[in-house]
């Protein structure tokens, strides 16, 4: 039964429940303070009779029209299963009121699935208009994936209500009168659930740290269990963190007496540049360029450790202040990635010490900081920095979701990644994988009507052992101020090799960025080694990126996809200051829904979890996962590493300023 409640802004909730023949997994995200969205994946055993059980994917949205006040309840409206095949589709309007902080009453009306009993006339129905009846829709067949707006708020209304009582801070008792009669589950395959009563009873116990265990007695006959976990991305997993603190600021007069700043320094003693290089290395930063121009020092740094570039700038300024003589009063820190200068952060030396212990120090220092494009910054290059070589050898896990025969498939094995940067911007990179155990190779073979540009993924898994996931030569450079360019060639991804070129316009302080990409690619052989198949295609996209503020990012990509179809992909992400990101996307192309197949069009959910948020230790590594409702061939795009917007955004002014609270850490 729905209530009018919402989660705190930004919270993520995950539940798994089981009762009777039904198992449900649900993810909930509080997108705005009053709006949340849910993705549900359900399995109903034996619902299709001799065919077996039904796996069902569905999306819900819930909007709180008004918050609860002293005299008025909270009121909300919601839509369930708006993109699925209709097994759980329904709409509702609901109100919830709290009494004495522990007792809550909820009541509401629903349509569709929530109007299978306790029904009353629809007030929107008059003169036998369209709201008087609800179109009959099969809930277990069809390709799904489309909005059924023509059904919303149509037909009779069901009335539901209930109450909950917090016995203490951990234990809650619940009771409700349900308007859901589980009609589909009772009429198919002889009934997979017994219905004896509209009354449901429940008890929940909070275990701590966002975890809750619940038990239910449903429809007077079924026992159910549910495990829930809620997390707020705004809160650190490790409040104190385990990284080292920034160096204490040394008084300028003491710095002046350091051996490297004395006029009679011995020739065999290190100079200031050598000291800065060593101290930055201790902070996980690489000094790539250095020059003093009068009262200003300019340094180029490659941040290898901190996910927040503001923290890298702060650590650099601490090192500069503790090393350079008093006559150097201005700092310019140019953030560099792969040898490519991105943004120049200019600040005054005096502000670093004056504002460090100020309660508003980070934000006052930000107001005195200037951001400029790093393209024009020329300094002496530090010898010995290039070429660079790095590698990482360790375990990996790869997942595949929503195969009709197995909802979750996974492979586990060993992975080797290498990067060899020959000179600034020019990098040779590769990744090898060797799967040891898993079942991804058991996926269903597609009968797609389109060129099989993605749906042959089970064949790739079946016919490969050692996998060359990518093996590329990449060059990134700055053609002029505010512009970035990239050319990548080789084995670009698991399924395709070829050449990719990209140009991005991204002014330093702009929230808007525009880009274009052109690719020629050829399909790789199924063994994921070095041979190719006959299929080749030219693809390309024009892209627009916009930072709306408050962590919301929008992206539109328009162009040609791998199956030769034309269309656009729309993406919205919400990114928190700790780097955690939750997003959703959908792609519409000129491929008809019935040709596309199950799901109708490409869509999914993305999540990025920074390792630093989980461990409390500084790290630039992230755990990324994309969950598609189903992987088809329409709307499929080439997976090229280091697309320029994401490659540069963390070091551009808007993002650096958003995370300036880490400047003194």
């Amino acid at each position: 039964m729905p209530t009018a409640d919402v989660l705190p802004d930004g919270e993520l909730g995950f539940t798994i429940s089981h009762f009777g023949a039904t198992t449900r997994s649900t993810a909930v995200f509080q997108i705005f303070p009053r709006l949340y969205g849910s993705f549900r994946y359900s399995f109903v055993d034996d619902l299709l009779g001799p065919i077996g059980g039904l796996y069902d994917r569905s999306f819900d949205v819930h909007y709180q029209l008004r918050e609860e006040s002293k005299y008025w309840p909270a009121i909300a409206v919601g839509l369930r299963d708006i993109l699925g095949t209709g097994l759980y589709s329904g709409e509702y309007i609901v109100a919830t009121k709290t009494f004495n902080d522990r007792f809550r009453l909820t009541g509401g009306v629903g349509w569709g699935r929530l109007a299978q009993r306790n029904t009353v006339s629809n007030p929107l129905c008059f003169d036998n208009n369209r709201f008087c009846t609800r179109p009959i829709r099969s809930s277990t067949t069809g390709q799904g994936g489309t909005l059924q707006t023509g059904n919303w708020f149509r037909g009779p209304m069901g009335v539901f209500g209930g109450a909950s009582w917090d016995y203490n801070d951990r234990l809650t008792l619940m009771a409700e009168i349900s308007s859901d009669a589980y009609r589909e589950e009772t009429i198919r395959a002889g009934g997979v659930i017994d219905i004896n009563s509209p009354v449901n009873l429940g008890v929940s116990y909070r275990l701590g740290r966002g975890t809750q265990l619940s038990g239910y007695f449903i429809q007077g006959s079924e026992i159910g269990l549910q495990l829930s976990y809620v997390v707020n991305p705004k809160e650190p997993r490790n409040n104190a963190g385990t990284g080292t603190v920034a160096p204490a600021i040394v008084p300028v007069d003491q710095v002046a007496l350091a051996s490297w700043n004395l006029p009679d320094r011995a020739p065999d003693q290190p100079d200031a540049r050598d000291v800065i290089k060593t101290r930055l290395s201790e902070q996980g930063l690489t000094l790539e360029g250095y020059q003093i121009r009068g009262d200003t020092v300019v340094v180029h740094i490659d941040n290898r450790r901190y996910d927040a570039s503001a923290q890298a700038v702060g650590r650099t300024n601490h090192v500069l202040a503790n090393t350079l003589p008093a006559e150097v009063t201005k700092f310019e820190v140019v953030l560099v990635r792969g040898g490519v200068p991105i943004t120049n952060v200019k600040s005054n030396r005096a502000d670093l010490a004056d504002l460090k212990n100020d309660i508003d120090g980070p934000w006052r220092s930000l107001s005195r900081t200037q951001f400029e494009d790093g393209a024009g910054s020329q300094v002496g290059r530090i010898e010995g920095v290039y070429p660079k070589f790095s590698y990482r050898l360790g375990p990996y896990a790869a997942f595949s979701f929503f195969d009709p025969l197995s909802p979750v498939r996974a492979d586990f094995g060993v992975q080797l990644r290498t990067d060899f940067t020959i000179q600034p911007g020019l990098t040779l990179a590769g990744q090898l994988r060797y799967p040891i155990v898993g079942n991804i190779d058991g996926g269903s073979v597609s009968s797609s009507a389109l060129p099989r540009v993605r749906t042959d993924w089970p064949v790739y898994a079946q016919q490969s052992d050692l996998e060359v996931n990518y093996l590329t030569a990449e060059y990134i450079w700055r053609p002029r101020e505010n512009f970035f360019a990239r050319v990548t060639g080789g084995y670009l991804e698991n399924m395709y090799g070829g050449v990719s070129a990209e140009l991005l316009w991204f002014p330093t302080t702009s929230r808007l960025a525009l880009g274009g990409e052109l690719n020629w690619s050829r399909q790789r052989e199924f063994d994921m080694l070095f041979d190719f198949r006959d299929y080749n295609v030219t693809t390309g996209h024009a892209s627009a990126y916009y930072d709306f503020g408050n962590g919301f990012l929008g992206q539109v990509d328009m162009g040609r996809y791998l199956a030769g179809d034309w269309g656009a992909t729309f993406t919205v992400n919400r990114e928190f200051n700790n780097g955690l990101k939750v997003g959703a996307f959908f792609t519409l192309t000129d491929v008809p829904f019935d040709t596309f197949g199950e799901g109708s069009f490409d869509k999914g959910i993305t999540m990025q979890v920074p390792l630093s948020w989980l461990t409390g230790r500084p790290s630039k590594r992230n755990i990324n996962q994309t969950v598609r409702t189903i992987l088809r061939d329409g709307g499929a795009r080439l997976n090229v590493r280091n697309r320029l917007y994401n490659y540069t955004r963390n070091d551009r002014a808007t993002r650096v300023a958003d995370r300036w609270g880490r400047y003194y850490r």
Side-chain angles (χ1 to χ4, degrees):
M1 185 191 77
T3 72
D5 295 329
V6 292
L7 296 170
D9 184 37
E11 278 201 349
L12 279 160
F14 304 92
T15 70
I16 182 167
S17 63
H18 178 81
F19 63 93
T22 300
T23 301
R24 297 177 184 167
S25 300
T26 307
V28 182
F29 179 51
Q30 192 68 39
I31 305 168
F32 297 108
R34 292 192 178 188
L35 175 70
Y36 69 68
S38 304
F39 172 69
R40 182 189 304 107
Y41 191 61
S42 305
F43 174 69
V44 186
D45 196 13
D46 294 329
L47 187 67
L48 302 181
I51 300 177
L54 173 71
Y55 290 100
D56 184 81
R57 303 172 296 273
S58 57
F59 291 90
D60 303 347
V61 293
H62 173 102
Y63 183 74
Q64 190 180 68
L65 298 171
R66 63 164 295 144
E67 295 178 338
E68 183 175 346
S69 63
K70 183 177 181 180
Y71 298 108
W72 286 91
I75 300 175
V77 60
L79 305 170
R80 287 184 171 177
D81 200 358
I82 59 174
L83 287 177
T85 54
L87 179 63
Y88 297 109
S89 64
E91 307 79 50
Y92 59 84
I93 299 173
V94 62
T96 299
K97 186 74 177 75
T98 304
F99 301 91
N100 297 325
D101 296 328
R102 290 187 178 275
F103 186 73
R104 297 160 64 247
L105 288 177
T106 294
V109 294
W111 292 259
R113 177 83 187 218
L114 295 173
Q116 294 184 351
R117 62 155 70 102
N118 311 331
T119 57
V120 296
S121 298
N122 189 339
L124 299 175
C125 170
F126 52 88
D127 295 332
N128 200 30
N129 67 1
R130 61 190 295 267
F131 288 100
C132 297
T133 58
R134 189 179 185 93
I136 298 175
R137 183 184 183 207
S138 173
S139 62
T140 58
T141 61
Q143 62 196 31
T146 57
L147 286 171
Q148 298 295 313
T149 56
N151 286 2
W152 292 353
F153 302 102
R154 294 181 62 173
M157 298 188 310
V159 179
F160 57 83
S164 69
W165 176 51
D166 294 334
Y167 174 77
N168 54 36
D169 292 339
R170 290 183 176 269
L171 183 65
T172 299
L173 307 178
M174 297 164 285
E176 66 182 27
I177 298 176
S178 174
S179 58
D180 180 357
Y182 290 83
R183 188 170 296 160
E184 289 286 348
E185 290 88 336
T186 57
I187 64 176
R188 290 181 178 271
V192 295
I193 186 174
D194 294 325
I195 302 298
N196 295 317
S197 169
V199 177
N200 300 327
L201 304 174
V203 57
S204 290
Y205 187 78
R206 284 171 284 279
L207 302 173
R209 296 188 63 84
T211 305
Q212 180 172 289
L213 181 64
S214 305
Y216 304 105
F217 186 53
I218 299 173
Q219 304 291 321
S221 62
E222 301 286 351
I223 299 294
L225 291 174
Q226 177 173 291
L227 181 66
S228 303
Y229 178 68
V230 177
V231 60
N232 192 329
K234 296 179 180 180
E235 299 175 356
R237 303 299 296 158
N238 186 320
N239 291 326
T242 54
T244 60
V245 298
I249 300 295
V250 178
V252 175
D253 56 349
Q254 294 184 27
V255 175
L257 296 175
S259 60
W260 54 85
N261 288 324
L262 295 177
D264 56 350
R265 176 180 61 86
D268 60 343
Q269 288 185 323
D271 60 12
R273 189 192 70 169
D274 295 331
V275 174
I276 290 171
K277 179 181 177 181
T278 300
R279 290 180 170 180
L280 287 176
S281 180
E282 294 170 352
Q283 300 296 323
L285 306 169
T286 300
L287 181 66
E288 296 199 358
Y290 174 87
Q291 190 168 343
I292 292 182
R293 303 168 183 161
D295 63 351
T296 302
V297 61
V298 183
V299 295
H300 286 202
I301 63 161
D302 182 4
N303 169 25
R304 297 177 285 111
R305 178 174 296 175
Y306 305 102
D307 58 325
S309 296
Q311 189 171 5
V313 173
R315 293 294 177 105
T316 302
N317 284 346
H318 278 76
V319 168
L320 296 177
N322 288 344
T323 309
L324 295 173
E327 54 265 26
V328 179
T329 60
K330 297 178 181 178
F331 298 158
E332 294 187 16
V333 178
V334 180
L335 296 166
V336 171
R337 184 170 182 187
V340 180
I342 298 177
T343 301
N344 188 352
V345 185
K346 296 183 174 182
S347 58
N348 295 315
R349 178 177 186 166
D351 294 337
L352 185 69
D354 292 346
L355 300 177
K356 183 164 187 176
N357 296 317
D358 190 300
I359 190 171
D360 294 321
W363 310 115
R364 292 181 64 188
S365 69
L366 176 61
S367 68
R368 303 179 189 184
T369 299
Q370 294 178 296
F371 297 92
E372 295 182 359
D373 198 301
S377 175
Q378 301 296 326
V379 296
R381 185 180 297 177
I382 302 297
E383 62 276 4
V385 174
Y386 293 96
K388 288 182 180 179
F389 178 75
S390 65
Y391 74 93
R392 180 179 295 124
L393 177 65
Y396 81 89
F399 296 93
S400 171
F401 298 97
F402 309 134
D403 184 287
L405 300 179
S406 181
V408 179
R409 294 182 180 273
D411 274 353
F412 302 91
V414 178
Q415 171 180 279
L416 173 66
R417 289 183 178 178
T418 62
D419 287 277
F420 181 52
T421 304
I422 301 171
Q423 64 182 38
L426 179 60
T427 301
L428 306 179
Q431 177 175 288
L432 303 178
R433 280 182 173 177
Y434 188 81
I436 297 174
V437 63
N439 63 347
I440 285 183
D441 57 2
S444 303
V445 177
S446 170
S447 58
S448 175
L450 296 170
R452 295 183 185 177
V453 295
R454 287 298 182 206
T455 54
D456 273 339
W457 61 266
V459 186
Y460 279 88
Q462 292 162 8
Q463 297 192 18
S464 63
D465 290 316
L466 177 66
E467 304 172 2
V468 179
N469 303 123
Y470 60 83
L471 188 63
T472 60
E474 169 191 86
Y475 185 55
I476 298 176
W477 75 100
R478 303 296 308 273
R480 58 175 297 177
E481 185 176 334
N482 296 328
F483 282 86
F484 299 84
R486 173 188 58 80
V487 174
T488 307
Y491 300 92
L492 301 174
E493 51 138 293
N494 286 352
M495 297 186 183
Y496 292 89
V499 180
S500 172
E502 182 184 8
L503 182 67
L504 176 72
W505 173 78
F506 193 177
T508 310
T509 59
S510 175
R511 293 187 178 274
L512 174 69
L514 302 174
E517 180 181 280
L518 184 64
N519 312 299
W520 180 87
S521 60
R522 188 171 179 179
Q523 197 169 38
R524 295 176 60 186
E525 193 52 77
F526 293 139
D527 61 8
M528 279 190 270
L529 292 177
F530 303 107
D531 293 332
F532 289 91
R533 297 170 58 79
D534 292 336
Y535 185 81
N536 65 81
V537 61
T538 299
T539 64
H541 286 79
S543 301
Y545 313 85
Y546 193 78
D547 184 341
F548 292 95
N550 296 320
F552 287 94
L553 307 171
Q555 178 177 338
V556 180
D557 303 287
M558 298 174 291
R560 191 176 193 228
Y561 295 84
L562 287 171
D565 47 334
W566 294 81
T569 299
F570 302 86
T571 305
V572 177
N573 290 299
R574 184 171 184 186
E575 187 174 28
F576 298 90
N577 272 339
N578 54 25
L580 192 146
K581 185 189 297 184
V582 180
F585 66 90
F586 68 91
T587 300
L588 297 174
T589 74
D590 57 1
V591 173
F593 287 177
D594 55 350
T595 303
F596 180 92
E598 184 181 354
S600 299
F601 60 95
D602 189 42
K603 52 191 172 292
I605 298 168
T606 61
M607 181 174 290
Q608 172 183 288
V609 180
L611 199 61
S612 60
W613 182 71
L614 294 174
T615 65
R617 294 179 178 274
S619 174
K620 295 190 73 175
R621 296 176 61 187
N622 298 304
I623 300 171
N624 296 287
Q625 186 63 59
T626 297
V627 178
R628 280 180 163 85
T629 55
I630 191 165
L631 180 63
R632 305 292 292 179
D633 294 311
R637 191 175 179 187
L638 197 66
N639 296 324
V640 182
R641 295 178 65 246
N642 294 335
R643 284 196 164 107
L644 291 173
Y645 182 73
N646 288 327
Y647 187 84
T648 60
R649 178 177 172 266
N650 206 45
D651 292 331
R652 290 311 253 177
T654 301
R655 184 60 176 159
V656 175
D658 284 345
R659 309 184 76 180
W660 200 257
R662 303 272 290 275
Y663 177 71
Y664 281 110
R665 292 179 56 185

